[in-house]
Amino acid sequence: GAVVSQHPSWVICKSGTSVKIECRSLDFQATTMFWYRQFPKQSLMLMATSNEGSKATYEQGVEKDKFLINHASLTLSTLTVTSAHPEDSSFYICSASGLGLAEPYEQYFGPGTRLTVT
Amino acid sequence: EDKVVQSPLSLVVHEGDTVTLNCSYEVTNFRSLLWYKQEKKAPTFLFMLTSSGIEKKSGRLSSILDKKELFSILNITATQTGDSAVYLCAGCSVDETSGSRLTFGEGTQLTVNP
């Protein structure tokens, strides 16, 4: 099956610093990648959708200058949380869909990155 | 705005019980309804349902979709403690311009006690 990896799996950073999270599709070309955020005991909330080679589309209420998304290749998307604050502490999950999959619109999820901002 | 509502939000049962989890949806450009199981990490895929009335089965889990009533259920028979998890339902919409999109419900927290 299609495999999506995320790195790091967890990160602790100090308030005011920036953190970059990588999402990779290992065995297929991810034309579209999605970034979700999940707070404790809540569901997944879509933050943004990115298509390879173009700018990400952000959901209402998500600050694009704070959550920088880059999808420069068909196998890699990055989410950078800039000037992180404690309220940005959350579980960040990426998913990918793309070419060569049995169901072209199916999303395959990465294992998630737990961010803690102190 | 697309909406997915799950019920109950929380359920506690004993091993061996059968449970039914509910999911109703209002999704424009609806393509499919998906069920996921989430333990400590990211969701793991269970089922994708696109056609009404056709049951999908995997071991003790089964699911069915009713596109007329905009409803799906997930059944788990002979529950085990390992079934304890949050079960998420998501509606998938596909639009020519913006592509696909998942809208998740709040999830049902299932606890199976020995």
Side-chain angles (χ1 to χ4, degrees):
Chain A
V3 179
V4 176
S5 70
Q6 268 184 255
H7 178 80
S9 54
W10 60 269
V11 57
I12 301 172
C13 71
K14 289 191 175 176
S15 198
T17 60
S18 294
V19 173
K20 183 187 279 190
I21 302 170
E22 291 186 350
C23 177
R24 291 182 188 274
S25 59
L26 300 185
D27 51 4
F28 68 99
Q29 293 183 320
T31 49
T32 307
M33 284 185 165
F34 306 83
W35 287 95
Y36 296 86
R37 180 167 52 183
Q38 186 177 34
F39 291 110
K41 300 204 183 294
Q42 293 187 28
S43 194
L44 278 72
M45 298 300 294
L46 180 65
M47 298 174 67
T49 302
S50 73
N51 293 300
E52 184 264 338
S54 59
K55 286 185 181 178
T57 303
Y58 289 80
E59 295 298 298
Q60 199 169 8
V62 178
E63 298 172 59
K64 62 181 180 185
D65 294 332
K66 182 169 181 65
F67 298 100
L68 302 178
I69 291 171
N70 184 281
H71 189 172
S73 80
L74 284 171
T75 58
L76 173 65
S77 175
T78 59
L79 167 68
T80 301
V81 183
T82 62
S83 187
H85 287 99
E87 57 266 29
D88 298 324
S89 298
S90 187
F91 192 45
Y92 292 87
I93 308 171
C94 74
S95 70
S97 63
L99 304 173
L101 301 173
E103 171 63 46
Y105 295 112
E106 187 171 349
Q107 293 183 28
Y108 293 85
F109 284 86
T113 296
R114 191 160 300 281
L115 170 64
T116 303
V117 185
T118 60
Chain B
E1 192 179 317
D2 293 345
K3 194 163 74 168
V4 175
V5 177
Q6 291 184 247
S7 66
L9 293 181
S10 176
L11 191 54
V12 180
V13 300
H14 287 105
E15 262 191 323
D17 288 351
T18 292
V19 297
T20 298
L21 310 183
N22 305 298
C23 175
S24 65
Y25 64 92
E26 292 173 29
V27 173
T28 49
N29 300 316
F30 175 81
R31 182 178 180 92
S32 57
L33 191 289
L34 298 101
W35 285 96
Y36 294 88
K37 177 182 181 182
Q38 186 175 28
E39 296 171 272
K40 298 210 163 137
K41 291 205 163 182
T44 53
F45 172 79
L46 293 176
F47 297 110
M48 175 189 283
L49 305 155
T50 53
S51 302
S52 236
I54 298 173
E55 186 184 53
K56 288 215 172 177
K57 225 172 145 56
S58 175
R60 295 176 293 104
L61 278 67
S62 63
S63 185
I64 198 160
L65 175 68
D66 184 336
K67 288 168 79 172
K68 188 179 170 192
E69 299 297 326
L70 307 183
F71 192 81
S72 174
I73 60 171
L74 174 70
N75 276 323
I76 309 175
T77 58
T79 51
Q80 301 171 357
T81 54
D83 295 327
S84 297
V86 174
Y87 290 84
L88 294 165
C89 166
C92 178
S93 65
V94 174
D95 178 85
E96 285 297 320
T97 330
S98 47
S100 73
R101 174 197 181 87
L102 290 181
T103 301
F104 281 86
E106 287 184 73
T108 294
Q109 171 73 63
L110 174 65
T111 303
V112 181
N113 289 323

